[in-house]
Structure formats: structure tokens, C-alpha cells
Amino acid sequence: MYDKIESTYMVKIKLTFDEIEKQNEKSRKQLLEFKIALEEAAIVSILDTNEKITFVNKQFCKASKYSSEDLLGQRHEITYSGYHPPKFFKEIKNMLTSGKTWRGEMKNKAKDGSFYWLKSVIIPVLNEEKKIGSYIQVATDITEAKKKEESLLKSDQEKSKTIEMQLEELKSVDKLKDEFVAMMSHELKTPITPIKIYSSSLRRPKILGELNEKQMGAVDSIIFNTKRLEKIVGDLLDSQKLELGKMKFEKKEIKVDELMDMMTKNLISQTEEKGCQLINLTTEKNTIKSDASRLAQVLTNLMNNAIDFIPKDTGKIEINAKKSDDGILFSVKDNGIGMSLETQNKLFKKFFQTDTSLKRKHGGTGLGLSICKGILDGLGGKIWLESQEGKGTNFYFTIPEEESK
Amino acid sequence: MKILMVDDDVEITKAVEAIMTSVGHDFQFTNDPREGLKLIREQDQDMVILDLSMPEVSGIDIINDLAKDGKIKEKKIVVMTASAVGDEELDGLVDLGIHSFLKKPVDIDAILDKIDEIGSS
């Protein structure tokens, strides 16, 4: 009877052993599969609680260029590059000892001194007593990607350096322009001042003595031509300033009707000399915020042109300033010889002059209208004309009422 | 009249001096703004012609300095200025105690008229 019981137990035990064997086989197979996968895909190492290496896979050796003999039993600092500060490793240790998995990027040093970057996951593994028994590191080599990142960063830094240098250069060129304009203004204008002082003093007998008629005539010519010179120098400097973008405008409240009154007063004697009429049609009382002296400069220019081109005795000039959709609309209309479409198209260009014989009187540099355009551009306005040969010319310009952006 | 001119431009001061002495005024000038400030303080002029834009020490610096003394009104300071200075700034200078302005570029007729104006007041 015992034999029978014994054999039944034996069978049972054998069956259990077979089961266990089967399970083991299954587990062994699974482990092998995992091992193969990791071996191919990742860099793996295992540390004990003393932070010493107990296992490295083939990839680890490949990346670090150490053999497994070199590594086993060594502390993990063997692959340290010195790139990360101590704080970096303290943080890792804190995470791991509190049972958390650490994920991050680390720069390592290989046996030959070269560097490689790893994207790692470090897992603290708990043993039966729920205490940390080992640390498993699973990583991938990201050295190539890191290299690309570094070179992009470098080129960005280089780019911003180049931009900084270019900015400095532009600033110094701009400063040179400022200095050039200031110097030119000063150098060209200052000799004219003593000439004017002496020549106007010569006209006053009490100051420098009495002059005979011939001498007085000479002085008059000096004064007249000095005025012309002043105008030409002024035009050249204005043109230069506009070209360099260095013309400054002072915007203040202007009573438009008073401005137009002053213009009429200034130029009426010249029109009357020619036997012509200058009529100020301005009735509206408007106020604008703009540069009065520059506006006067534009009006003077347009009105002088008109005086030149109107016929003697029958010539008529009408000026006006009234509200419009684009701000204040100024106009200077004449019944002069007018101009062809071809001429109209070239009118605002620098140095362009129509029939030069007519323009001599006002010292034509051909810059007047291009300066007017430059001033209007700077003040945020527009300038244009209507003209027909033989019928006359109307010049218009607008000054915006609101401060334009 | 005893007149002092402070302007860094040598040619202008020379020209004005020639005119002033011809007319018979007691005319002094300096191209150094610091010397100008000293002369204004130490001497008793009937009129001072002061250029605003001078390098290093400008006319405005000189005016501010003199305003502290409190005697600036007596000095009859006529300021010469190019149009670059805005009106608010000029009004401010009047508040500090200057007499009046002359526009630059300097016009001999305007200077002589100004002398007559101050002389008769």
C-alpha cells in the first residue's frame, strides 16, 4: 500500500517539478528575449548600493571604449566628464535614494578621453526588504544629436555677434553723417557772416566812413551776391540733410492765416515790381502743428517760381489755405506759361531746371522743388501740381492736421 | 557803451570788433567761454552779447551760472541763437533774467539797433 501512496506522491512531485521547470523555461526564454532586445537597442549598466558597477552590456563597452574587465567593480565616476557640476549628481542621488527613477542627459568621458552624450533612465530596484538593492541604467547614445545642437547654438551666437557688429558699424556711420552735416553747415555758413557784417557796415557811413557812388555800387553788388551765395549754400545743405535723412523738423502750433499773411507781405513788393498781382484768398482760420519755417520755405519757393513764370503787367498769383480731407490744403496758382506733361514728370527731381534763362534771377540750383518734396515728405504731407502749357500752373500741398505716425 | 562779446567764432568777433571800434564803443571780446564768464562777473559792462552754442561751456551753462548770483538782469545779456533752439527753451532763458535775443547768422544792423535800444533805456 505505501508503494502506491509513495508513487502517487512521486507522480505529484514530479508533476510539480515539471510545472516549475516549464515556468523556468518560460521565464528564461522571456529574459533572453529582453536581454537580446536591450543588448541591441540600449546601453545598460547595473550598480550596487555602494555605487560600484556590477554589470555592463556590450553597448556600454562600445560607447565607453572600456572593456568589461576595466569596468566591473569600479565606481560609476569612471565615465565622468567633468562637464556637470556636483549639484547635478546630488540631485540624481536624491531622486534615486527616495525611490524615484531619474531621466536625463549626461556627458561622459570614454577611455581615450573623447566625450559622448547619453540619454539615460536610472532605476532604483527594490529588493525583498523593500530597500534599494541596485541601480539599473538604461541609455541611448545621443552624441551625434548633441553635436548638431552645439553647432547650431554656435552658429546662432556667431550670427548675433555679426549682427551686433553690423549694428555698431551702422551707429558709427550714422554718427559720421551727423558730424559731416554739422561741420558742413558750420564751415560753409561762417565765412558768409563776416562778409555780411563788413558789407552792411560799409553801407552805413557813420561806421566805416563815407563812400563814393562807385564804391557804394560795389558794396551793393557784394551784398546782393552774398545773399545769392547764402541761398545756394542753404539749398545745398538742405538737400544734403534730406539725402542723409538728417533734416530735423520742429513742430509747433501755427496759425495758418497768419502764415499766409506773412508770405504775402514778404513777396508783394517783388510781384508789384513786375506789375503783377499777388492775392491771398485765405479766409479760414485754421491751426496746424508743423514746422513754420520749413513751410515758409516751401511757400517762398513756390511763389518765387510763380513770379518768374507769370507775364509782366498781366501776371496774377493766388494763394490759399483751406481745410480738406487730408488736412490743410495749400495752393499757389498762377496764370503763367505753364508746363508740358514731360516737364511735370521731371519736376521734383534734383537739379532739374526748366528754361534756365528765366530762372537766373533767383539763383537756380535746380534743388528748390526737390527740397520742397523732401520737406513735405518729412512733415507727412503731399505735394503735386496741375499745369497746362500756355494756361498756367497750380501747385498744391497738404499738411496733415493730426500728428502722423 | 561798454560792450562785451562772448563767441567762439574768431572771424565773427574780429568783424564785429572792427565795426564797434569804428562807431566808437568800448568793445571787448573773448573766444573762450570760461574767460567770458569771468569777465562778465568781474567787470561792469553796459551790454553783453553771448553766443549760445559754444563747445565745452555753452552760453546756456554761463547763463545758469550767472543766474545763481542773482545779478544777471543788470548785465543786459543779449543772447545770439540760431533757429535750432525751440521757443520754450528761449522763454526759459528770459525767466532766468536775460535781456533779449539776436538771431544768427549775426546781422550787424540788428546788433547796432539792439545797442541803440539798450542805450536809450
Side-chain angles (χ1 to χ4, degrees):
Chain A
M1 198 167 72
Y2 287 114
D3 283 340
K4 210 180 183 178
I5 297 168
E6 240 185 79
S7 64
T8 324
Y9 277 136
M10 290 305 287
V11 170
K12 274 208 174 124
I13 290 167
K14 187 162 188 291
L15 282 174
T16 320
F17 274 136
D18 283 343
E19 273 302 316
I20 294 171
E21 196 56 47
K22 245 196 212 150
Q23 286 291 352
N24 276 346
E25 195 54 46
K26 213 177 173 184
S27 308
R28 258 203 293 270
K29 213 166 161 221
Q30 264 185 336
L31 266 175
L32 190 62
E33 282 166 354
F34 274 127
K35 198 167 180 218
I36 292 170
L38 270 181
E39 197 67 56
E40 280 306 302
I43 292 166
V44 183
S45 62
I46 304 178
L47 300 177
D48 63 17
T49 47
N50 295 317
E51 299 178 42
K52 287 204 178 136
I53 300 171
T54 58
F55 171 79
V56 289
N57 74 345
K58 249 195 266 178
Q59 294 276 18
F60 193 105
C61 297
K62 194 168 166 215
S64 66
K65 302 189 180 151
Y66 287 107
S67 68
S68 49
E69 289 85 49
D70 290 334
L71 294 165
L72 291 174
Q74 292 296 323
R75 284 185 61 85
H76 58 103
E77 282 99 351
I78 190 172
T79 57
Y80 274 20
S81 62
Y83 174 83
H84 302 279
K87 198 172 98 162
F88 181 76
F89 296 105
K90 231 188 195 172
E91 274 174 27
I92 298 178
K93 196 162 186 189
N94 288 339
M95 275 199 93
L96 295 175
T97 47
S98 62
K100 296 200 202 86
T101 302
W102 180 84
R103 290 162 211 274
E105 294 175 3
M106 214 187 288
K107 189 173 183 180
N108 300 280
K109 191 159 78 169
K111 188 173 186 182
D112 65 352
S114 64
F115 294 108
Y116 60 102
W117 277 89
L118 295 180
K119 188 171 182 180
S120 305
V121 180
I122 307 178
I123 310 146
V125 180
L126 302 176
N127 57 21
E128 302 85 34
E129 291 115 56
K130 298 291 169 120
K131 280 217 179 96
I132 296 174
S134 59
Y135 302 98
I136 303 182
Q137 180 189 263
V138 182
T140 46
D141 191 322
I142 54 166
T143 312
E144 279 312 302
K146 266 303 192 195
K147 273 200 190 140
K148 278 201 185 128
E149 211 181 280
E150 269 174 32
S151 74
L152 273 176
L153 189 65
K154 232 191 193 171
S155 83
D156 274 347
Q157 283 173 341
E158 276 169 13
K159 271 189 200 151
S160 64
K161 234 195 205 163
T162 318
I163 291 173
E164 251 181 71
M165 270 162 53
Q166 286 177 335
L167 189 63
E168 280 310 306
E169 220 182 290
L170 279 173
K171 278 188 192 168
S172 70
V173 167
D174 201 61
K175 191 161 176 253
L176 282 174
K177 281 186 187 173
D178 278 333
E179 288 171 3
F180 178 72
V181 168
M183 183 200 73
M184 291 250 76
S185 288
H186 194 260
E187 292 308 311
L188 285 172
K189 284 186 174 168
T190 40
I192 295 180
T193 311
I195 295 174
K196 283 173 75 178
I197 290 174
Y198 283 118
S199 47
S200 33
S201 303
L202 282 167
R203 293 190 105 255
R204 290 198 180 194
K206 281 199 181 144
I207 302 173
L208 290 171
E210 192 99 34
L211 296 177
N212 64 37
E213 233 181 282
K214 275 194 195 155
Q215 289 165 336
M216 206 45 119
V219 170
D220 280 340
S221 177
I222 292 172
I223 292 175
F224 178 74
N225 284 291
T226 308
K227 284 205 180 109
R228 284 180 69 198
L229 187 62
E230 247 190 325
K231 172 103 193 357
I232 293 170
V233 168
D235 275 358
L236 278 171
L237 288 172
D238 277 346
S239 189
Q240 188 75 289
K241 277 187 204 162
L242 284 166
E243 186 107 343
L244 294 173
K246 292 290 171 194
M247 183 176 277
K248 295 191 179 77
F249 298 100
E250 270 175 63
K251 294 199 179 158
K252 281 189 238 156
E253 290 263 310
I254 304 168
K255 291 195 179 125
V256 179
D257 54 308
E258 283 180 17
L259 175 68
M260 299 304 270
D261 263 336
M262 183 185 84
M263 296 309 309
T264 315
K265 267 200 195 111
N266 288 346
L267 286 149
I268 193 117
S269 50
Q270 272 180 59
T271 34
E272 282 173 353
E273 252 172 51
K274 210 170 168 177
C276 301
Q277 285 182 294
L278 172 59
I279 304 166
N280 181 5
L281 296 171
T282 314
T283 49
E284 293 179 21
K285 289 202 189 297
N286 292 302
T287 314
I288 46 168
K289 198 165 182 206
S290 195
D291 189 322
S293 62
R294 292 294 175 190
L295 281 183
Q297 187 177 355
V298 172
L299 285 162
T300 306
N301 198 291
L302 296 177
M303 289 162 77
N304 274 327
N305 284 348
I307 292 171
D308 272 351
F309 293 106
I310 50 175
K312 243 178 143 183
D313 301 321
T314 54
K316 188 162 96 175
I317 303 172
E318 289 174 352
I319 62 172
N320 202 348
K322 53 186 177 183
K323 239 187 170 134
S324 79
D325 291 332
D326 295 316
I328 303 294
L329 176 66
F330 293 79
S331 57
V332 177
K333 299 184 186 179
D334 70 62
N335 64 345
I337 58 173
M339 51 188 112
S340 66
L341 205 56
E342 197 191 334
T343 306
Q344 286 178 53
N345 289 333
K346 298 186 210 161
L347 209 57
F348 292 103
K349 293 219 160 63
K350 268 168 88 168
F351 307 121
F352 179 77
Q353 284 182 294
T354 55
D355 190 351
T356 43
S357 59
L358 286 171
K359 287 243 71 196
R360 282 302 91 187
K361 191 175 179 215
H362 292 288
T365 46
L367 290 170
L369 284 172
S370 74
I371 292 173
C372 287
K373 180 155 194 315
I375 290 174
L376 261 312
D377 284 341
L379 291 174
K382 283 205 206 76
I383 182 166
W384 72 97
L385 75 149
E386 288 165 357
S387 186
Q388 221 182 340
E389 274 185 291
K391 295 257 177 82
T393 305
N394 301 335
F395 270 97
Y396 301 98
F397 66 92
T398 53
I399 298 291
E401 274 183 292
E402 297 292 316
E403 185 86 0
S404 52
K405 292 191 183 137
Chain B
M1 273 179 48
K2 193 170 158 85
I3 302 166
L4 170 67
M5 184 170 187
V6 183
D7 188 324
D8 64 315
D9 196 304
V10 176
E11 291 306 314
I12 291 180
T13 47
K14 265 204 298 196
V16 175
E17 183 189 34
I19 309 305
M20 292 291 138
T21 44
S22 282
V23 176
H25 293 298
D26 178 354
F27 183 83
Q28 209 187 357
F29 75 88
T30 174
N31 303 122
D32 179 352
R34 289 193 184 90
E35 197 196 333
L37 180 59
K38 189 162 164 264
L39 289 170
I40 296 174
R41 281 216 164 100
E42 292 174 0
Q43 294 179 6
D44 238 328
Q45 301 91 358
D46 295 317
M47 176 174 153
V48 176
I49 301 172
L50 178 64
D51 180 19
L52 266 197
S53 54
M54 290 183 284
E56 286 171 49
V57 180
S58 76
I60 296 184
D61 295 328
I62 293 178
I63 293 168
N64 281 322
D65 223 306
L66 289 168
K68 292 188 209 147
D69 294 347
K71 290 198 215 143
I72 187 173
K73 276 218 166 105
E74 307 168 358
K75 293 290 173 183
K76 302 267 187 283
I77 296 178
V78 178
V79 162
M80 284 196 301
T81 164
S83 56
V85 186
D87 274 6
E88 297 95 49
E89 264 189 299
L90 298 183
D91 290 339
L93 295 175
V94 173
D95 291 335
L96 285 175
I98 64 162
H99 181 272
S100 53
F101 306 99
L102 277 173
K103 255 223 146 181
K104 269 187 126 175
V106 66
D107 186 324
I108 195 65
D109 292 305
I111 294 178
L112 291 170
D113 288 339
K114 187 62 75 178
I115 292 172
D116 287 337
E117 186 191 318
I118 292 178
S120 57
S121 64

